[in-house]
Amino acid sequence: MLHRHRLSGHSHRVQLFLSLLRLPFEMIEVDLPARAHKSEGFLAMNPFGQVPVIEDGDLVLADSSAILLYLASRYDASRRWYPEGPVEQARIQRWLTVAAGQLVNGPAAARLVQVFGARIDHGRAKAIAAALFEILDKELDGRLFVVGDCPTMSLTSQVVRRP
């Protein structure tokens, strides 16, 4: 089961990855405007009161990056999405950290202002986004993916250079 909200980027990355792995799953929509994520039942699954959360058998796991790592390690026997080598894993972790930092504070924060009218510094978010995109453009120069020569789960599953 995937507990998510349809407008959550973190939920989307888990939903996308479940689909890429071709895993069947049930979606449970969490009503964020009604504060369902702050209910006693939801907080028992994730004390931070955030989506996404997955239930896989007896496992209840929150945090999109942790979920991606779990799903790749548990369900991708080919190791396409999360290779076994320490160098490749470190490179993927680097971009997962970027996704939790610059991506959240840049493009995702700017999206919060545009879509939800969030009261955050839109100019700062756009500046962080611009700096991130400049780095990404350099990282992707001459290649399709930020890590390796095939898709990995780095930076919300994969970053593909625009033609």
PDB file of all heavy atoms in Angstrom, residues 33-56:
ATOM      1  N   PRO A  33      -5.452  18.429   3.256  1.00  0.00           N
ATOM      2  CA  PRO A  33      -6.200  19.609   3.711  1.00  0.00           C
ATOM      3  C   PRO A  33      -7.058  19.336   4.953  1.00  0.00           C
ATOM      4  O   PRO A  33      -7.245  20.227   5.783  1.00  0.00           O
ATOM      5  CB  PRO A  33      -7.075  19.972   2.506  1.00  0.00           C
ATOM      6  CG  PRO A  33      -6.336  19.426   1.335  1.00  0.00           C
ATOM      7  CD  PRO A  33      -5.687  18.161   1.836  1.00  0.00           C
ATOM      8  N   ALA A  34      -7.531  18.119   5.116  1.00  0.00           N
ATOM      9  CA  ALA A  34      -8.319  17.751   6.297  1.00  0.00           C
ATOM     10  C   ALA A  34      -7.423  17.305   7.457  1.00  0.00           C
ATOM     11  O   ALA A  34      -7.918  16.871   8.489  1.00  0.00           O
ATOM     12  CB  ALA A  34      -9.314  16.650   5.947  1.00  0.00           C
ATOM     13  N   ARG A  35      -6.103  17.385   7.245  1.00  0.00           N
ATOM     14  CA  ARG A  35      -5.097  17.059   8.260  1.00  0.00           C
ATOM     15  C   ARG A  35      -5.104  15.582   8.657  1.00  0.00           C
ATOM     16  O   ARG A  35      -4.751  15.219   9.780  1.00  0.00           O
ATOM     17  CB  ARG A  35      -5.226  17.976   9.475  1.00  0.00           C
ATOM     18  CG  ARG A  35      -5.067  19.450   9.090  1.00  0.00           C
ATOM     19  CD  ARG A  35      -4.920  20.410  10.222  1.00  0.00           C
ATOM     20  NE  ARG A  35      -3.923  20.102  11.220  1.00  0.00           N
ATOM     21  CZ  ARG A  35      -2.610  20.294  11.115  1.00  0.00           C
ATOM     22  NH1 ARG A  35      -2.112  20.782  10.016  1.00  0.00           N
ATOM     23  NH2 ARG A  35      -1.798  20.007  12.103  1.00  0.00           N
ATOM     24  N   ALA A  36      -5.462  14.714   7.705  1.00  0.00           N
ATOM     25  CA  ALA A  36      -5.449  13.271   7.972  1.00  0.00           C
ATOM     26  C   ALA A  36      -4.052  12.782   8.313  1.00  0.00           C
ATOM     27  O   ALA A  36      -3.895  11.796   9.041  1.00  0.00           O
ATOM     28  CB  ALA A  36      -6.004  12.516   6.768  1.00  0.00           C
ATOM     29  N   HIS A  37      -3.031  13.468   7.808  1.00  0.00           N
ATOM     30  CA  HIS A  37      -1.637  13.093   8.090  1.00  0.00           C
ATOM     31  C   HIS A  37      -1.235  13.395   9.531  1.00  0.00           C
ATOM     32  O   HIS A  37      -0.166  12.981   9.977  1.00  0.00           O
ATOM     33  CB  HIS A  37      -0.693  13.775   7.102  1.00  0.00           C
ATOM     34  CG  HIS A  37      -0.755  15.265   7.122  1.00  0.00           C
ATOM     35  ND1 HIS A  37      -1.912  15.986   6.877  1.00  0.00           N
ATOM     36  CD2 HIS A  37       0.204  16.187   7.344  1.00  0.00           C
ATOM     37  CE1 HIS A  37      -1.666  17.276   6.957  1.00  0.00           C
ATOM     38  NE2 HIS A  37      -0.379  17.422   7.235  1.00  0.00           N
ATOM     39  N   LYS A  38      -2.075  14.109  10.253  1.00  0.00           N
ATOM     40  CA  LYS A  38      -1.811  14.428  11.662  1.00  0.00           C
ATOM     41  C   LYS A  38      -2.710  13.629  12.592  1.00  0.00           C
ATOM     42  O   LYS A  38      -2.701  13.833  13.805  1.00  0.00           O
ATOM     43  CB  LYS A  38      -1.989  15.934  11.911  1.00  0.00           C
ATOM     44  CG  LYS A  38      -1.089  16.815  11.055  1.00  0.00           C
ATOM     45  CD  LYS A  38       0.390  16.550  11.294  1.00  0.00           C
ATOM     46  CE  LYS A  38       1.262  17.463  10.446  1.00  0.00           C
ATOM     47  NZ  LYS A  38       2.672  17.208  10.596  1.00  0.00           N
ATOM     48  N   SER A  39      -3.465  12.683  12.016  1.00  0.00           N
ATOM     49  CA  SER A  39      -4.340  11.836  12.828  1.00  0.00           C
ATOM     50  C   SER A  39      -3.506  10.833  13.614  1.00  0.00           C
ATOM     51  O   SER A  39      -2.365  10.515  13.249  1.00  0.00           O
ATOM     52  CB  SER A  39      -5.344  11.097  11.944  1.00  0.00           C
ATOM     53  OG  SER A  39      -4.672  10.104  11.179  1.00  0.00           O
ATOM     54  N   GLU A  40      -4.082  10.314  14.680  1.00  0.00           N
ATOM     55  CA  GLU A  40      -3.374   9.338  15.512  1.00  0.00           C
ATOM     56  C   GLU A  40      -2.962   8.110  14.701  1.00  0.00           C
ATOM     57  O   GLU A  40      -1.843   7.617  14.828  1.00  0.00           O
ATOM     58  CB  GLU A  40      -4.274   8.926  16.674  1.00  0.00           C
ATOM     59  CG  GLU A  40      -3.595   8.066  17.710  1.00  0.00           C
ATOM     60  CD  GLU A  40      -4.503   7.762  18.886  1.00  0.00           C
ATOM     61  OE1 GLU A  40      -5.195   8.673  19.359  1.00  0.00           O
ATOM     62  OE2 GLU A  40      -4.493   6.595  19.321  1.00  0.00           O
ATOM     63  N   GLY A  41      -3.848   7.642  13.846  1.00  0.00           N
ATOM     64  CA  GLY A  41      -3.552   6.463  13.032  1.00  0.00           C
ATOM     65  C   GLY A  41      -2.407   6.690  12.072  1.00  0.00           C
ATOM     66  O   GLY A  41      -1.524   5.837  11.924  1.00  0.00           O
ATOM     67  N   PHE A  42      -2.403   7.851  11.411  1.00  0.00           N
ATOM     68  CA  PHE A  42      -1.320   8.125  10.469  1.00  0.00           C
ATOM     69  C   PHE A  42      -0.010   8.356  11.211  1.00  0.00           C
ATOM     70  O   PHE A  42       1.045   7.874  10.785  1.00  0.00           O
ATOM     71  CB  PHE A  42      -1.647   9.319   9.564  1.00  0.00           C
ATOM     72  CG  PHE A  42      -0.684   9.440   8.420  1.00  0.00           C
ATOM     73  CD1 PHE A  42      -0.886   8.742   7.240  1.00  0.00           C
ATOM     74  CD2 PHE A  42       0.468  10.209   8.529  1.00  0.00           C
ATOM     75  CE1 PHE A  42       0.027   8.805   6.189  1.00  0.00           C
ATOM     76  CE2 PHE A  42       1.391  10.288   7.489  1.00  0.00           C
ATOM     77  CZ  PHE A  42       1.162   9.585   6.324  1.00  0.00           C
ATOM     78  N   LEU A  43      -0.065   9.087  12.314  1.00  0.00           N
ATOM     79  CA  LEU A  43       1.155   9.348  13.088  1.00  0.00           C
ATOM     80  C   LEU A  43       1.765   8.064  13.653  1.00  0.00           C
ATOM     81  O   LEU A  43       2.972   8.009  13.892  1.00  0.00           O
ATOM     82  CB  LEU A  43       0.880  10.357  14.204  1.00  0.00           C
ATOM     83  CG  LEU A  43       0.598  11.783  13.725  1.00  0.00           C
ATOM     84  CD1 LEU A  43       0.147  12.658  14.891  1.00  0.00           C
ATOM     85  CD2 LEU A  43       1.791  12.391  13.013  1.00  0.00           C
ATOM     86  N   ALA A  44       0.945   7.022  13.822  1.00  0.00           N
ATOM     87  CA  ALA A  44       1.486   5.732  14.244  1.00  0.00           C
ATOM     88  C   ALA A  44       2.357   5.133  13.139  1.00  0.00           C
ATOM     89  O   ALA A  44       3.316   4.408  13.423  1.00  0.00           O
ATOM     90  CB  ALA A  44       0.347   4.768  14.601  1.00  0.00           C
ATOM     91  N   MET A  45       2.052   5.453  11.878  1.00  0.00           N
ATOM     92  CA  MET A  45       2.870   4.976  10.757  1.00  0.00           C
ATOM     93  C   MET A  45       4.070   5.875  10.525  1.00  0.00           C
ATOM     94  O   MET A  45       5.151   5.415  10.174  1.00  0.00           O
ATOM     95  CB  MET A  45       2.033   4.912   9.471  1.00  0.00           C
ATOM     96  CG  MET A  45       0.976   3.849   9.486  1.00  0.00           C
ATOM     97  SD  MET A  45       0.198   3.650   7.876  1.00  0.00           S
ATOM     98  CE  MET A  45      -0.596   5.245   7.644  1.00  0.00           C
ATOM     99  N   ASN A  46       3.877   7.180  10.655  1.00  0.00           N
ATOM    100  CA  ASN A  46       4.954   8.145  10.452  1.00  0.00           C
ATOM    101  C   ASN A  46       4.809   9.276  11.459  1.00  0.00           C
ATOM    102  O   ASN A  46       3.991  10.174  11.266  1.00  0.00           O
ATOM    103  CB  ASN A  46       4.949   8.706   9.034  1.00  0.00           C
ATOM    104  CG  ASN A  46       6.108   9.661   8.796  1.00  0.00           C
ATOM    105  OD1 ASN A  46       6.931   9.906   9.678  1.00  0.00           O
ATOM    106  ND2 ASN A  46       6.168  10.219   7.606  1.00  0.00           N
ATOM    107  N   PRO A  47       5.586   9.263  12.526  1.00  0.00           N
ATOM    108  CA  PRO A  47       5.476  10.293  13.562  1.00  0.00           C
ATOM    109  C   PRO A  47       5.734  11.714  13.055  1.00  0.00           C
ATOM    110  O   PRO A  47       5.362  12.675  13.712  1.00  0.00           O
ATOM    111  CB  PRO A  47       6.527   9.889  14.599  1.00  0.00           C
ATOM    112  CG  PRO A  47       6.974   8.526  14.251  1.00  0.00           C
ATOM    113  CD  PRO A  47       6.579   8.249  12.839  1.00  0.00           C
ATOM    114  N   PHE A  48       6.370  11.841  11.874  1.00  0.00           N
ATOM    115  CA  PHE A  48       6.588  13.165  11.296  1.00  0.00           C
ATOM    116  C   PHE A  48       5.342  13.679  10.596  1.00  0.00           C
ATOM    117  O   PHE A  48       5.289  14.839  10.204  1.00  0.00           O
ATOM    118  CB  PHE A  48       7.777  13.153  10.327  1.00  0.00           C
ATOM    119  CG  PHE A  48       9.097  12.931  11.006  1.00  0.00           C
ATOM    120  CD1 PHE A  48       9.761  11.728  10.878  1.00  0.00           C
ATOM    121  CD2 PHE A  48       9.672  13.923  11.790  1.00  0.00           C
ATOM    122  CE1 PHE A  48      10.973  11.511  11.505  1.00  0.00           C
ATOM    123  CE2 PHE A  48      10.884  13.716  12.427  1.00  0.00           C
ATOM    124  CZ  PHE A  48      11.543  12.509  12.294  1.00  0.00           C
ATOM    125  N   GLY A  49       4.353  12.821  10.391  1.00  0.00           N
ATOM    126  CA  GLY A  49       3.098  13.239   9.777  1.00  0.00           C
ATOM    127  C   GLY A  49       3.259  13.680   8.342  1.00  0.00           C
ATOM    128  O   GLY A  49       2.678  14.683   7.927  1.00  0.00           O
ATOM    129  N   GLN A  50       4.045  12.925   7.574  1.00  0.00           N
ATOM    130  CA  GLN A  50       4.305  13.279   6.177  1.00  0.00           C
ATOM    131  C   GLN A  50       4.053  12.091   5.271  1.00  0.00           C
ATOM    132  O   GLN A  50       4.241  10.943   5.677  1.00  0.00           O
ATOM    133  CB  GLN A  50       5.761  13.739   6.003  1.00  0.00           C
ATOM    134  CG  GLN A  50       6.130  14.941   6.821  1.00  0.00           C
ATOM    135  CD  GLN A  50       7.625  15.196   6.822  1.00  0.00           C
ATOM    136  OE1 GLN A  50       8.439  14.284   6.758  1.00  0.00           O
ATOM    137  NE2 GLN A  50       7.988  16.460   6.923  1.00  0.00           N
ATOM    138  N   VAL A  51       3.627  12.394   4.059  1.00  0.00           N
ATOM    139  CA  VAL A  51       3.518  11.374   3.022  1.00  0.00           C
ATOM    140  C   VAL A  51       4.801  11.430   2.207  1.00  0.00           C
ATOM    141  O   VAL A  51       5.459  12.468   2.167  1.00  0.00           O
ATOM    142  CB  VAL A  51       2.286  11.613   2.113  1.00  0.00           C
ATOM    143  CG1 VAL A  51       1.008  11.393   2.889  1.00  0.00           C
ATOM    144  CG2 VAL A  51       2.316  12.975   1.452  1.00  0.00           C
ATOM    145  N   PRO A  52       5.179  10.309   1.598  1.00  0.00           N
ATOM    146  CA  PRO A  52       4.506   9.022   1.499  1.00  0.00           C
ATOM    147  C   PRO A  52       4.893   8.081   2.637  1.00  0.00           C
ATOM    148  O   PRO A  52       5.897   8.263   3.320  1.00  0.00           O
ATOM    149  CB  PRO A  52       5.016   8.471   0.177  1.00  0.00           C
ATOM    150  CG  PRO A  52       6.424   8.993   0.111  1.00  0.00           C
ATOM    151  CD  PRO A  52       6.361  10.377   0.724  1.00  0.00           C
ATOM    152  N   VAL A  53       4.056   7.048   2.764  1.00  0.00           N
ATOM    153  CA  VAL A  53       4.327   5.911   3.633  1.00  0.00           C
ATOM    154  C   VAL A  53       3.932   4.678   2.836  1.00  0.00           C
ATOM    155  O   VAL A  53       2.911   4.693   2.145  1.00  0.00           O
ATOM    156  CB  VAL A  53       3.498   5.981   4.935  1.00  0.00           C
ATOM    157  CG1 VAL A  53       3.651   4.706   5.759  1.00  0.00           C
ATOM    158  CG2 VAL A  53       3.874   7.198   5.770  1.00  0.00           C
ATOM    159  N   ILE A  54       4.744   3.628   2.917  1.00  0.00           N
ATOM    160  CA  ILE A  54       4.346   2.368   2.282  1.00  0.00           C
ATOM    161  C   ILE A  54       4.150   1.314   3.368  1.00  0.00           C
ATOM    162  O   ILE A  54       4.770   1.380   4.430  1.00  0.00           O
ATOM    163  CB  ILE A  54       5.336   1.846   1.222  1.00  0.00           C
ATOM    164  CG1 ILE A  54       6.693   1.507   1.837  1.00  0.00           C
ATOM    165  CG2 ILE A  54       5.464   2.816   0.068  1.00  0.00           C
ATOM    166  CD1 ILE A  54       7.580   0.647   0.949  1.00  0.00           C
ATOM    167  N   GLU A  55       3.280   0.385   3.046  1.00  0.00           N
ATOM    168  CA  GLU A  55       3.117  -0.829   3.841  1.00  0.00           C
ATOM    169  C   GLU A  55       3.416  -1.983   2.902  1.00  0.00           C
ATOM    170  O   GLU A  55       2.808  -2.097   1.841  1.00  0.00           O
ATOM    171  CB  GLU A  55       1.704  -0.947   4.378  1.00  0.00           C
ATOM    172  CG  GLU A  55       1.341   0.104   5.404  1.00  0.00           C
ATOM    173  CD  GLU A  55      -0.066  -0.083   5.929  1.00  0.00           C
ATOM    174  OE1 GLU A  55      -0.282  -0.998   6.762  1.00  0.00           O
ATOM    175  OE2 GLU A  55      -0.947   0.667   5.472  1.00  0.00           O
ATOM    176  N   ASP A  56       4.381  -2.794   3.281  1.00  0.00           N
ATOM    177  CA  ASP A  56       4.762  -3.957   2.490  1.00  0.00           C
ATOM    178  C   ASP A  56       4.829  -5.140   3.433  1.00  0.00           C
ATOM    179  O   ASP A  56       5.837  -5.333   4.126  1.00  0.00           O
ATOM    180  CB  ASP A  56       6.106  -3.709   1.808  1.00  0.00           C
ATOM    181  CG  ASP A  56       6.482  -4.810   0.833  1.00  0.00           C
ATOM    182  OD1 ASP A  56       5.571  -5.468   0.297  1.00  0.00           O
ATOM    183  OD2 ASP A  56       7.684  -5.015   0.607  1.00  0.00           O
TER     184      ASP A  56
END
